[in-house]
Amino acid sequence: MDKHFILLNTVAVLSFRCVVLAFEPSPMQDFCVADPASIAKVNGLACKDPKSVSAEDFFFSVLHLAGNTSNTFGSKVTAVNVAQVPGLNTLGISLTRIDYAPWGINPPHTHPGATEILTVLEGSLPVGFVTSNPKNRLITKVLKKGEVLVFPIGLVHYQRNMGYGNVVAIAALSSQNPGVISIDNPVFVSEPAIETYILAKAFQVDETVASLIQSKL
Ligand SMILES: *[C@@H]1O[C@H](CO)[C@@H](O)[C@H](O)[C@H]1NC(C)=O
């Protein structure tokens, strides 16, 4: 066989494997509305009997309501994923509304399961994401009303409100259950806690500094 042909086939097979491994599989039926009563453990959630499915399973009614931003970060994420809308099960998509009080931030975090595409409905929103090791390049943009930015799957990203009034954004995510890993909590306030010695060494600070951060969070 021609060498180029073999190479091309290898690349095709490898990229197919990547697609299979990195993204949620396509549904094998019209829908698989999550059945909260099922004790079956599958990748995703077990399906309800299709005969008992109704419009309510695909419906969410309160995304027009502003989230309560009275918290440490001054932001609130209202999620519309498979936990709120069981009909999203197996469909590989979800939505969020994010409210930001003046000077509020959505602190650095990642979604292990989803790429995010965000648009600003109201206000002006500086955002950024960071490429993976070793370069860790920060890519930033100030989004105005109607503008859109993509946060690629798995990368650390954040948003902030520069202080001129409230900001509202809507983000779509390429998973029924994108998951979220904030950067601070898993490291500094896991249960049980990671040894302070490890945190001090990892962040190159004194152990008293590491335990101060642990206590603050
Ligand atoms: C918003 O959250 C704060 C802090 O948890 C709480 O005190 C306040 O009552 C909430 N406001 C509304 C309108 O729910």
Side-chain angles (χ1 to χ4, degrees), residues 30-81:
D30 283 350
F31 48 74
C32 165
V33 172
D35 178 3
S38 173
I39 54 161
K41 297 284 176 234
V42 294
N43 187 21
L45 297 156
C47 312
K48 243 186 185 179
D49 180 351
K51 289 194 290 296
S52 70
V53 164
S54 75
E56 296 309 306
D57 291 313
F58 301 93
F59 182 70
F60 187 81
S61 62
V62 292
L63 212 59
H64 61 296
L65 299 180
N68 184 348
T69 56
S70 303
N71 55 56
T72 328
F73 296 124
S75 75
K76 178 70 180 179
V77 175
T78 305
V80 190
N81 59 44

Side-chain angles (χ1 to χ4, degrees), residues 4 65 103 111 145-146 206:
H4 288 105
L65 299 180
W103 310 113
H111 303 292
K145 182 173 177 168
D206 200 84

Side-chain angles (χ1 to χ4, degrees), residues 8-198:
L8 217 68
N9 268 306
T10 312
V11 169
V13 167
L14 283 179
S15 43
F16 176 70
R17 279 182 62 95
C18 290
V19 168
V20 168
L21 292 175
F23 298 101
E24 292 174 21
S26 302
M28 292 172 216
Q29 60 279 306
D30 283 350
F31 48 74
C32 165
V33 172
D35 178 3
S38 173
I39 54 161
K41 297 284 176 234
V42 294
N43 187 21
L45 297 156
C47 312
K48 243 186 185 179
D49 180 351
K51 289 194 290 296
S52 70
V53 164
S54 75
E56 296 309 306
D57 291 313
F58 301 93
F59 182 70
F60 187 81
S61 62
V62 292
L63 212 59
H64 61 296
L65 299 180
N68 184 348
T69 56
S70 303
N71 55 56
T72 328
F73 296 124
S75 75
K76 178 70 180 179
V77 175
T78 305
V80 190
N81 59 44
V82 72
Q84 291 77 31
V85 178
L88 282 173
N89 191 35
T90 74
L91 297 183
I93 193 167
S94 60
L95 195 70
T96 65
R97 170 186 172 131
I98 314 163
D99 289 275
Y100 313 80
W103 310 113
I105 63 162
N106 187 9
H109 62 278
T110 83
H111 303 292
T115 288
E116 174 172 342
I117 179 165
L118 178 145
T119 189
V120 173
L121 299 185
E122 225 36 272
S124 166
L125 188 73
V127 306
F129 68 85
V130 183
T131 66
S132 55
N133 291 350
K135 291 267 193 229
N136 298 132
R137 181 171 160 228
L138 175 64
I139 294 172
T140 62
K141 186 87 185 160
V142 180
L143 299 180
K144 298 187 294 292
K145 182 173 177 168
E147 294 181 338
V148 172
L149 198 86
V150 172
F151 303 109
I153 184 168
L155 299 189
V156 173
H157 59 281
Y158 65 84
Q159 302 102 32
R160 70 171 291 213
N161 180 342
M162 281 162 84
Y164 312 108
N166 293 325
V167 176
V168 183
I170 295 279
L173 296 113
S174 62
S175 170
Q176 66 175 41
N177 178 26
V180 59
I181 303 177
S182 60
I183 301 310
D184 48 0
N185 284 2
V187 177
F188 287 100
V189 289
S190 62
E191 273 185 47
I194 296 176
E195 277 176 81
T196 308
Y197 167 82
I198 294 173

